[in-house]
């Protein structure tokens, strides 16, 4: 996962005279990163790219205390799905609260 984060960072920035400068295009990156916001992957994306987690950027937040992984097997829920952006204003952020569709988890 760390190597993938480094590859993403490399693709999203270009080295110009030893300085990292942002590629000047609005960008959205979404995914199930299977890691928490305290992980090295999260830190790499936030440190080495111009991308920012939309939860931190949103003007309004709904259900931000909710997690995106329910914690199977007695493990408590954690957030492992993230949306990153560059070049956009984020009006609102919400975690879906309806986790079941026809009796199945949405992730199934």
């Amino acid at each position: 996962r760390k190597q993938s984060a480094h590859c993403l960072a490399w693709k999203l920035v270009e080295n110009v005279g030893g300085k990292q400068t942002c590629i000047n295009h609005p960008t959205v990156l979404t995914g199930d990163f299977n890691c928490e916001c305290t992980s090295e992957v999260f830190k790499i994306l936030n440190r080495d790219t111009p991308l920012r987690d939309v939860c931190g950027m949103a003007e309004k937040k709904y259900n931000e205390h909710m997690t995106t992984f329910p914690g199977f097997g007695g493990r408590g829920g954690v957030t492992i799905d993230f949306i990153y952006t560059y070049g956009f204003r984020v009006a609102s952020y919400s975690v879906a609260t309806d986790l079941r569709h026809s009796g199945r988890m949405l992730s199934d």
Side-chain angles (χ1 to χ4, degrees):
R1 288 185 190 120
K2 285 181 3 182
Q3 186 61 34
S4 294
H6 282 296
C7 287
L8 279 169
W10 182 77
K11 285 288 197 184
L12 291 167
V13 296
E14 57 186 3
N15 287 316
V16 179
K19 283 183 139 183
Q20 289 187 336
T21 57
C22 173
I23 294 174
N24 236 354
H25 302 288
T27 305
V28 175
L29 173 68
T30 65
D32 176 349
F33 290 88
N34 283 325
C35 64
E36 298 178 49
C37 64
T38 56
S39 73
E40 187 63 21
V41 170
F42 190 86
K43 291 174 186 174
I44 290 167
L45 291 175
N46 282 287
R47 179 188 64 221
D48 298 344
T49 76
L51 297 174
R52 294 296 166 254
D53 178 25
V54 298
C55 181
M57 297 174 57
E59 295 168 14
K60 294 182 181 179
K61 298 177 186 178
Y62 306 95
N63 304 322
E64 67 182 298
H65 65 282
M66 300 290 291
T67 60
T68 62
F69 178 73
F72 300 114
R75 182 175 169 218
V78 294
T79 296
I80 60 171
D81 303 285
F82 297 96
I83 303 170
Y84 292 93
T85 191
Y86 168 77
F88 291 98
R89 181 184 132 261
V90 180
S92 63
Y93 169 87
S94 179
V95 175
T97 57
D98 182 11
L99 298 177
R100 297 196 177 271
H101 178 71
S102 301
R104 298 182 68 186
M105 298 297 286
L106 289 176
S107 60
D108 293 342

